[in-house]
Each structure stands twice: as C-alpha cells, then as structure tokens.
Amino acid sequence: MEKNDKEVLNEDFVDIKIKEPNVFKRIGNGFVNFFKVSIPNFFTKKLPDFFKKIGTGIKNFGINFAKRWKEGSIGTKISHFIMGFGNLYHGQIVKGLIYLAIEVLFILYMVLCPAITGPGNVKVPTGYKSLGNLVLQGQENRGFDPITMQIIPDDSSQLFLLFGLVTIAIIILFIVLYLSNLKSSFKADKDAIEGKKPTTIKDDFKSLLDNRLHVLMIAPTCIAALIFTVLPTIFMICMAFTTYNDVEMQAAGTNLFHWNGLSNIGAIFTGNSSLGKEINARFLPILGWTFIWAIFATFTCYFGGIILAILINKKGLKGKKVFRTIFILTIAIPQFISLLAMRNLLSGEGPVNSLLQSWGWIDEPISFLGNNVTGNNATLSKVMVIIINMWLGIPYTMLMTSGILMNIPTDLYEAARVDGTSRPKMFFKITLPYIVFVTTPYLISSFIGNINSFNTIFLLTGGGPSIGEYVGGETDLLVTWLYKLTIDKGMFNTGAVIGILTFLITSTITLITYRRSKAYNEEDTFQ
C-alpha cells in the first residue's frame, strides 16, 4: 500500500526533528560526574598516567641524548659543551655563530650579574644572584654611600621576585635553544652520511616561508603571550603565597615582604587573623551573589535576545530594519557612556526620582542603585543592575540569533506544520534546540564573562550599598571586590588568592559545561 504525502512528510519529520536538549539536566549531571567520577578518576588514573608520561618522556630524552652522543660526529660531541660547534664543523657558519653567541651571552648574564635599576633607584642584581634573591630576604636601612653622597635605597622584594622569575624564564629558554643546537648538529651529521649537503641559513629561511610557515606565524604570538601573559600571571600567583600588603608595608616604611605558604588561602576560609576575619565574612556572600548575577545576566539576555530576534524576523512584520536599528543603537553607543547615563538617570537627584516626586508617587528619593547615603536597598539595587544589563545585552544575542534563524532548514517547519504541530511546540522542538546547539560556546563564554563583569557593576553601583567596616558592598562581584582589595587597600596577596580562586571556578565551570554540551559531543548533528 502506497503512503500518501502527509505520511511521508510525517516520517521525514520524525527522522529529522531535533530532540529538545535538557540543558540544565546535562549541566547538573556534569557537576555530579565531576565530583563522583572525574575527581576520583583524576587521582586514581590520570595523575598516575601523567607522572608515567613524564617518566617515559625523561627516559626517551635520555635515550636520544645518549644516541646523539654515541652516534654523533666529533662536532656534535663538542656541541654538548660549545654550542654551534657542530654547525661550524659542517660548514653552517651563520647558524653556528648564532648558537655560539647565545651561549656566550647566557654565560655573561649568569656570571657577571649586571645590576638593573628599578623604581626609586633600587639596584637589583640579575643572573645567578637573582635566583638567590628569590628567598626574598633583602636588606633595609642600608645607610649612606660616602662615594655618591646619597642614601642607599632599601631592597625591594617585589623586584627580587620579578627578576628571579625572569631569570628562570631565561634559563628555560636557553635549555630549549641548547637542545635545538644538538638536534641541528645531529641532523647535519645524518645529512652528511646520506650524501646530502647540510642546510644553510638561507635554506632554513626558505623553509620558514614554505612548509614551516605556520611556525613563523605562530612564534611571535607565542613569545608575546609568554612575556605579557604567562610571566605576569605566574608573578601574581606567587603573590598569593607572600605577605605582600602594600598599605601595611608603606606604614612600616619597608619594601620587603616574605613567603608565608598557604596562610593567605587559609585566612579566607578560616578567618584565622584580623585580616582573615574580614575576608572570610565577605567571601562567601560575594561568591554567592556573583553566581546569582552571572546566571540571571546570562540567561535573561540570552532568551530575551532569542525572543526579540524571532519577533523581529517574523514574516509580515513591517519596518524590520527600523526595529533592528533601534536596538543596535545600544551596541553602537560605548557601554560606559550608557552605564553612566543610566546611573545619573536613576540617582537620588536624577530625573526619574524628580519625576516620581513631582507626580506625588513617592515622598523620598528611591535609591535604585544603592549609591545614596540613606534609604539603600540591596535587593532593589541587584534587580536594577540585572534589568539594565538586559537593556545592554539583549541586542547582542538578537543579532547573533537572527543569523542562526535564517539557517534553520525550512523543511523542519514544513514537516511540523503537516504533522499539525503548534507554534510553541515547534519553538521548543526545533528552533530552541538548534539555537542552543550553535550558541553553546557563546553561552558559556557569556556566563564566564558575566562572572568577570567589571564595568556594569562598577559604573552603575560602585559595588554599593556599602557594608559598614568591611571592604566591598552588597552588589560587588568577585572581580570588583578584587579591585578594591588591591587598588584601594593594597592587599595584593589576598587579591592574588581571590584571582586564583576565580580562575579555578570559571575554568571548572567552562570545562564541565562545554564537555557535557551537544556542541562538543554531537558536533556533526547539523552538518
């Protein structure tokens, strides 16, 4: 018996319709699996495997090192002591001289230890002495120099730590170049055995512009990332394990601080010091509000943008371009201008309060954003910043979703209509799953961005309403609280701990949610 067109379309719809993803269930299961499976698996399997791989790597390195020594030419053997000798031995003059110059400069740097003058004319030795200075045991009250007729500046632990880390980075870089020197020499040995002419520096440059172009393009970015991102990050992580508190150090008239292990981390969770009590009292409330803010700020803008995009892209709607332009204006105007304008509108003496008072609706100004001296309402302030953030964030999602809606196959909707599916059901069974699938990475990055949303909170409420003697206010997020602890209070050690904890939280959430999403596990679904 032949099937009619409606039955065929119904079968096609069954085959191609998309199951509605239970996003929250997936995320919840992800967190449960993280604590029940991933963490035990990390200590029982992945960590031992990691150390096993390290051991295998060290073993292979030793084998290759011994092989180069045993099978290499006299030039390669001498290259273990004089960099570039193997290249000179094979006639690679320029390459050999470059390696030799690197070794000479490294030895001069490590042995001569040239002093670098830092802020306040503080002289900091480099080379091997900077490694010794990593113990952070400097001198103060160093007296008067009769030769220069000037007071000798006190040592600075901050500069000791910085240049110590720089020296470690230089040593690591030298080791990489040293191994490259051996590898290059051994390759020249092989070329000579096979009757090939060892490559010249000109050949290497041609290779970089041809089959190794990716190395040439990526190398500058990697170097810049190491210098301007990795090294400063390591420096600030080290601060978390010191007594570096700029305000207390200035009051004591010293530039010195010391290592104190895990004391700063313990103070946050146990409050075992005068400073720790204040931090301990505020950490969990601020952490909780940060998550509440991130959830509402993310999903209100996300679903609001989807609904707005569907309404604007509805067939038959006139003036679509006008509506899009109106909403895009909030993107075109710099965010800080919009936020400051809204702050002035909603202030105690702003137009909104003045208008409400003139209408007789209120007797006293309402503290919408918690920046009035009296009448502060923390709940109202939190609600207002979420609403204002919707005004700023929804247009971004609208623009992105508009493009996605245009790419949803029309066959899905046609099959659903023939099947008699209602519009709400089509939205939840077809439109929303498709959008969620495509935008999952954006949704995750938006959530993490809202956890670190500094501008919105700082420019609207300044973290207020304030909480008496404690640092920070009711609407402070971890990032704005971190700013106040470091910039206002000079508590760089505690700020570094907060920064580390924020990173651990955001990275954990990112990994769990993304690995549990369809965008990761079923990336071929819509291809």
Side-chain angles (χ1 to χ4, degrees):
M1 180 178 179
E2 294 185 358
K3 300 179 181 178
N4 58 39
D5 292 341
K6 183 175 180 180
E7 290 175 335
V8 172
L9 283 173
N10 286 344
E11 288 182 0
D12 290 341
F13 177 63
V14 170
D15 291 336
I16 64 179
K17 72 178 181 177
I18 307 166
K19 294 182 179 180
E20 178 184 358
N22 193 331
V23 179
F24 297 102
K25 184 177 180 180
R26 283 177 170 273
I27 294 174
N29 291 337
F31 278 99
V32 172
N33 289 334
F34 176 74
F35 290 103
K36 291 182 66 176
V37 179
S38 298
I39 291 181
N41 187 54
F42 173 78
F43 287 102
T44 59
K45 184 178 179 181
K46 291 188 176 181
L47 193 61
D49 288 346
F50 173 74
F51 286 110
K52 184 178 179 180
K53 289 180 180 178
I54 291 178
T56 303
I58 295 173
K59 179 182 178 181
N60 292 336
F61 172 79
I63 292 173
N64 292 331
F65 195 88
K67 181 180 179 181
R68 280 194 295 264
W69 176 264
K70 182 180 179 180
E71 300 179 3
S73 65
I74 185 65
T76 300
K77 289 182 171 63
I78 298 178
S79 290
H80 287 75
F81 309 100
I82 303 176
M83 287 176 59
F85 191 90
N87 299 110
L88 295 173
Y89 177 80
H90 289 286
Q92 299 171 309
I93 305 300
V94 177
K95 190 184 296 186
L97 291 177
I98 291 174
Y99 279 125
L100 181 61
I102 290 172
E103 183 176 20
V104 171
L105 290 174
F106 176 75
I107 293 173
L108 291 176
Y109 172 80
M110 293 299 294
V111 175
L112 297 181
C113 304
I116 296 177
T117 303
N121 293 322
V122 178
K123 293 188 179 297
V124 185
T126 57
Y128 76 90
K129 290 184 179 180
S130 64
L131 299 178
N133 288 335
L134 281 174
V135 297
L136 306 182
Q137 297 293 335
Q139 299 180 20
E140 53 186 354
N141 302 321
R142 301 183 65 182
F144 184 79
D145 188 347
I147 299 176
T148 61
M149 303 298 291
Q150 293 180 348
I151 297 175
I152 302 175
D154 295 343
D155 287 332
S156 171
S157 295
Q158 188 177 1
L159 294 178
F160 282 174
L161 179 59
L162 175 61
F163 287 106
L165 293 175
V166 169
T167 300
I168 291 175
I170 290 174
I171 293 173
I172 294 174
L173 177 60
F174 174 76
I175 292 173
V176 172
L177 294 174
Y178 173 79
L179 296 176
S180 172
N181 143 74
L182 297 177
K183 184 178 179 181
S184 176
S185 179
F186 193 63
K187 181 180 179 299
D189 290 343
K190 285 187 174 181
D191 290 341
I193 293 173
E194 294 173 0
K196 299 178 182 178
K197 185 179 179 181
T199 57
T200 63
I201 192 71
K202 186 177 180 180
D203 296 330
D204 291 333
F205 277 119
K206 286 183 179 179
S207 176
L208 284 175
L209 295 173
D210 187 15
N211 61 331
R212 299 182 64 198
L213 181 62
H214 60 285
V215 176
L216 180 63
M217 300 298 291
I218 294 174
T221 304
C222 293
I223 294 172
L226 289 172
I227 295 174
F228 299 109
T229 302
V230 176
L231 189 60
T233 300
I234 295 174
F235 177 77
M236 292 309 300
I237 290 174
C238 291
M239 288 294 183
F241 306 98
T242 69
T243 58
Y244 184 26
N245 187 315
D246 194 50
V247 174
E248 292 181 358
M249 287 167 56
Q250 288 184 12
T254 179
N255 292 321
L256 301 180
F257 54 84
H258 309 287
W259 298 106
N260 66 346
L262 301 176
S263 299
N264 297 325
I265 299 175
I268 288 179
F269 294 103
T270 63
N272 56 5
S273 66
S274 57
L275 176 64
K277 290 178 182 178
E278 176 177 345
I279 302 301
N280 176 255
R282 293 296 304 140
F283 177 71
L284 290 180
I286 290 177
L287 178 63
W289 160 239
T290 299
F291 276 110
I292 293 172
W293 152 261
I295 291 170
F296 277 94
T298 300
F299 289 101
T300 53
C301 291
Y302 184 72
F303 290 110
I306 292 174
I307 294 171
L308 185 61
I310 292 174
L311 293 175
I312 290 179
N313 287 281
K314 183 178 176 62
K315 291 184 178 180
L317 178 67
K318 296 181 180 180
K320 292 182 180 181
K321 293 182 179 180
V322 176
F323 287 118
R324 286 197 189 101
T325 303
I326 292 173
F327 287 107
I328 288 173
L329 284 176
T330 60
I331 302 174
I333 298 173
Q335 190 182 76
F336 79 94
I337 293 178
S338 301
L339 292 172
L340 291 177
M342 190 59 67
R343 178 173 180 170
N344 290 331
L345 286 172
L346 297 175
S347 66
E349 299 177 354
V352 174
N353 271 307
S354 299
L355 191 61
L356 293 176
Q357 284 179 308
S358 66
W359 288 347
W361 290 9
I362 58 174
D363 296 325
E364 296 291 334
I366 298 175
S367 179
F368 289 103
L369 299 176
N371 42 28
N372 285 3
V373 177
T374 58
N376 290 329
N377 187 322
T379 302
L380 178 60
S381 300
K382 293 176 179 179
V383 172
M384 289 305 300
V385 295
I386 291 174
I387 293 174
I388 294 171
N389 185 73
M390 290 174 61
W391 172 58
L392 295 172
I394 283 177
Y396 284 98
T397 309
M398 178 205 71
L399 285 178
M400 177 183 62
T401 307
S402 295
I404 297 172
L405 289 173
M406 296 176 186
N407 290 315
I408 298 179
T410 56
D411 293 346
L412 294 171
Y413 294 108
E414 291 174 2
R417 291 191 192 97
V418 172
D419 193 46
T421 306
S422 62
R423 288 184 179 275
K425 192 171 183 180
M426 280 193 287
F427 172 77
F428 287 105
K429 291 291 185 179
I430 300 175
T431 307
L432 185 59
Y434 194 97
I435 293 174
V436 170
F437 178 87
V438 176
T439 60
T440 295
Y442 162 79
L443 188 60
I444 295 172
S445 64
S446 178
F447 181 80
I448 300 304
N450 283 317
I451 288 180
N452 297 307
S453 179
F454 181 86
N455 288 347
T456 305
I457 299 298
F458 190 80
L459 294 177
L460 283 177
T461 67
S466 62
I467 306 179
E469 58 180 339
Y470 293 130
V471 176
E474 292 282 2
T475 57
D476 264 318
L477 305 179
L478 284 174
V479 64
T480 57
W481 188 45
L482 172 60
Y483 174 85
K484 293 178 180 179
L485 289 174
T486 53
I487 303 302
D488 295 343
K489 296 297 182 180
M491 297 160 56
F492 290 98
N493 51 353
T494 305
V497 175
I498 302 298
I500 292 172
L501 293 176
T502 303
F503 166 74
L504 292 175
I505 291 169
T506 55
S507 60
T508 301
I509 292 173
T510 301
L511 290 173
I512 292 175
T513 53
Y514 184 64
R515 288 180 65 87
R516 296 289 300 177
S517 69
K518 280 181 172 288
Y520 177 83
N521 294 306
E522 303 174 22
E523 60 178 326
D524 296 331
T525 301
F526 294 100
Q527 294 179 2

